[in-house]
Amino acid sequence: MHLSLTTAIAFSLTLASFITCLPRTSPAMAKRASSTPMVFAHYMLIMQPKNGDYTADINLAKEAGIDAFAVNYGGWNVDWAQHEAQLEKFYRTAEQLDFHLFLSIDTTSVKDTDMIIKLSNKYAGSSAQLKVDGSILLSSFQTDPPAWNWKTDVVDKINFPVLLLPGTLSDDATALFSDNIPGAGPFTWIHPSATPEKEHSTDLALASQRDRTAKLWMAGIAPWFFTHLNPDKNWAQAQDDKIFVDRWSSLLTLKPNFIEIVTWNDWSESSYIGPTDASSPGTTDAYWGSADHSAFRSMSKVFIKAFKAGQDDVVAVDAADEGVYMFYRRQPASAVGTSDPLPLPSDTGYLKDEIFVVTLLSAPAEVTLVSGDAPSVAWTAPAGLQKKSFPWSFGTQVLRAKRGDQVVADKVGAAVVARLDKYDGNVVAL
């Protein structure tokens, strides 16, 4: 669910067609809601967990401090009757596990507003339905403004109060917080083709407009982006290692009202923090989607705690949450696959052939990295957050950390090689 910067710019130019009505939520309500920061994860319903059982995903999300799944309703080649049954099972499982969900309508495939109204009314009374100040939360993923008017065609026809945070790819902060934009505020997707500096500039503008208007802002954040499916869907991302840890640090200072991690399980676009499942339809052609991303979920737990506590940075890490992590690609950014029918993905020129080490520690520890056959690198990592990078060498990647006799981390990652059969721009994150 990624689009190029060109598409995003084109979307900004069509923003005028998105302007339809005054927001349903008042500034006073927005201020009350903003006092309770929450974190969500975007869940691709079309990418089903093993045996269609959501229990493991829900428990892992709860453990990470995630407040709800934003259930992406829609997608490619959807069997709508089956999709609705899957949603029903998801809500029932969430009810049993005391977890929350809300709908994120995929307007690239959902064209029937009656469907949105029916589902919203059906689950509004569920104990699993996320509510903010008594209103059900409703959001969307959209590449272009939908054909309908969100207020008159959807929100006004739902029998319960609605807090609408429609998705957008636009980076026009002033327009997004205009009084004429529907809803309580925007859900801003990431811009993977934007440089880190450009993304940060956009976030600064969004935060400024949020403060000026007293509306809500839900910021998206992704651990990674890469896909290599076909000539039209073949891209990397321009933010490289700064897309996740650095952006989490930035968002801690900017304090959006809500943060949505995109995604939990989009293996085909390498943006997942949840566990992988090779049996899912989403990984059938996405050979890169089986890489371990568990480190991103573990790191998120610390950032989520800091965000909810209103901290500007990670000032302390609980001993139970500390960890030492590494993430890296398994091949050089410029190495075309030996039997790959596709060219290099776009934006690979921004990727560095390095291994990135993140330490989140309750107290200093001695860290050692061995990259392939290169000499080991050792340093004392401080308490709190530290992120370092090193050029990698071909071979197995080994990361260890000790504090006296205590083993803090002992990890062995997949080997980096000169070339693969097919290009793999995803990262291993341990």
Side-chain angles (χ1 to χ4, degrees):
M1 297 180 68
H2 153 76
L3 289 102
S4 67
L5 186 59
T6 301
T7 305
I9 292 171
F11 174 78
S12 299
L13 296 176
T14 65
L15 194 61
S17 65
F18 189 44
I19 297 176
T20 57
C21 59
L22 290 173
R24 181 184 179 100
T25 305
S26 68
M29 181 177 180
K31 288 180 180 178
R32 290 199 301 274
S34 68
S35 65
T36 307
M38 288 187 281
V39 177
F40 316 124
H42 201 83
Y43 196 104
M44 304 293 292
L45 187 61
I46 199 170
M47 294 188 176
Q48 284 286 291
K50 189 174 183 179
N51 300 321
D53 187 351
Y54 306 98
T55 302
D57 283 341
I58 289 175
N59 285 333
L60 285 171
K62 291 174 67 174
E63 181 183 341
I66 291 168
D67 296 287
F69 281 139
V71 184
N72 189 93
Y73 196 80
W76 55 94
N77 300 321
V78 173
D79 179 326
W80 291 108
Q82 182 185 59
H83 211 49
E84 188 169 349
Q86 291 165 343
L87 183 66
E88 168 81 15
K89 185 176 181 180
F90 207 171
Y91 264 91
R92 299 303 164 235
T93 306
E95 288 171 352
Q96 294 166 10
L97 297 174
D98 193 25
F99 190 63
H100 292 103
L101 310 174
F102 64 91
L103 290 172
S104 182
I105 303 301
D106 189 337
T107 66
T108 65
S109 58
V110 174
K111 305 301 179 184
D112 181 4
T113 57
D114 288 342
M115 179 189 296
I116 306 172
I117 296 163
K118 181 185 79 169
L119 293 173
S120 297
N121 283 328
K122 178 178 181 178
Y123 294 110
S126 168
S127 62
Q129 174 61 52
L130 181 70
K131 295 181 180 178
V132 178
D133 289 344
S135 298
I136 63 171
L137 181 55
L138 176 65
S139 188
S140 65
F141 170 80
Q142 52 196 55
T143 59
D144 294 296
W148 59 77
N149 179 310
W150 271 113
K151 183 178 187 300
T152 59
D153 296 334
V154 178
V155 172
D156 286 352
K157 296 181 180 181
I158 296 173
N159 299 328
F160 302 87
V162 177
L163 183 73
L164 175 66
L165 298 173
T168 177
L169 296 175
S170 173
D171 59 2
D172 187 340
T174 301
L176 289 175
F177 284 92
S178 163
D179 283 343
N180 296 321
I181 294 294
F187 162 40
T188 55
W189 201 258
I190 358 218
H191 309 95
S193 290
T195 64
E197 294 77 19
K198 171 60 177 172
E199 191 77 288
H200 182 61
S201 175
T202 298
D203 285 341
L204 287 172
L206 290 166
S208 176
Q209 290 299 316
R210 183 274 312 271
D211 294 343
R212 181 185 67 81
T213 62
K215 290 189 175 186
L216 300 179
W217 171 33
M218 182 159 71
I221 184 170
W224 201 254
F225 266 119
F226 162 77
T227 193
H228 197 58
L229 285 173
N230 54 56
D232 295 324
K233 196 166 184 180
N234 182 30
W235 36 256
Q237 47 93 8
Q239 299 181 37
D240 197 22
D241 62 293
K242 293 182 172 59
I243 195 171
F244 193 60
V245 174
D246 297 63
R247 189 140 187 272
W248 256 118
S249 296
S250 174
L251 291 179
L252 288 181
T253 65
L254 297 178
K255 296 179 174 28
N257 304 85
F258 310 115
I259 291 176
E260 185 169 319
I261 300 171
V262 290
T263 64
W264 181 265
N265 62 335
D266 195 342
W267 305 299
S268 69
E269 296 191 356
S270 310
S271 62
Y272 54 94
I273 67 165
T276 60
D277 182 1
S279 67
S280 169
T283 58
T284 302
D285 299 315
Y287 53 85
W288 55 87
S290 61
D292 190 346
H293 278 195
S294 58
F296 293 132
R297 188 171 65 252
S298 297
M299 287 186 256
S300 294
K301 184 176 184 178
V302 177
F303 286 113
I304 289 170
K305 280 189 175 181
F307 174 66
K308 291 182 179 181
Q311 297 172 357
D312 291 336
D313 52 30
V314 177
V315 295
V317 178
D318 294 338
D321 299 333
E322 73 173 355
V324 176
Y325 310 100
M326 59 179 169
F327 63 98
Y328 60 94
R329 284 173 294 100
R330 296 191 302 117
Q331 65 151 81
S334 60
V336 178
T338 56
S339 59
D340 199 332
L342 296 177
L344 283 176
S346 61
D347 290 329
T348 53
Y350 291 98
L351 304 178
K352 300 182 287 293
D353 292 340
E354 295 180 348
I355 184 167
F356 307 100
V357 177
V358 178
T359 55
L360 287 161
L361 296 171
S362 61
E366 301 301 317
V367 181
T368 303
L369 173 68
V370 182
S371 180
D373 58 3
S376 63
V377 181
W379 71 98
T380 301
L385 167 66
Q386 184 186 64
K387 175 169 164 276
K388 296 173 73 70
S389 61
F390 306 89
W392 43 241
S393 295
F394 297 144
T396 303
Q397 310 299 304
V398 180
L399 180 65
R400 297 189 174 97
K402 294 186 69 176
R403 184 181 297 120
D405 294 331
Q406 176 192 2
V407 176
V408 179
D410 190 355
K411 300 181 178 183
V412 179
V416 175
V417 298
R419 195 178 301 271
L420 295 166
D421 290 342
K422 292 184 178 180
Y423 192 93
D424 188 351
N426 195 5
V427 287
V428 175
L430 301 173

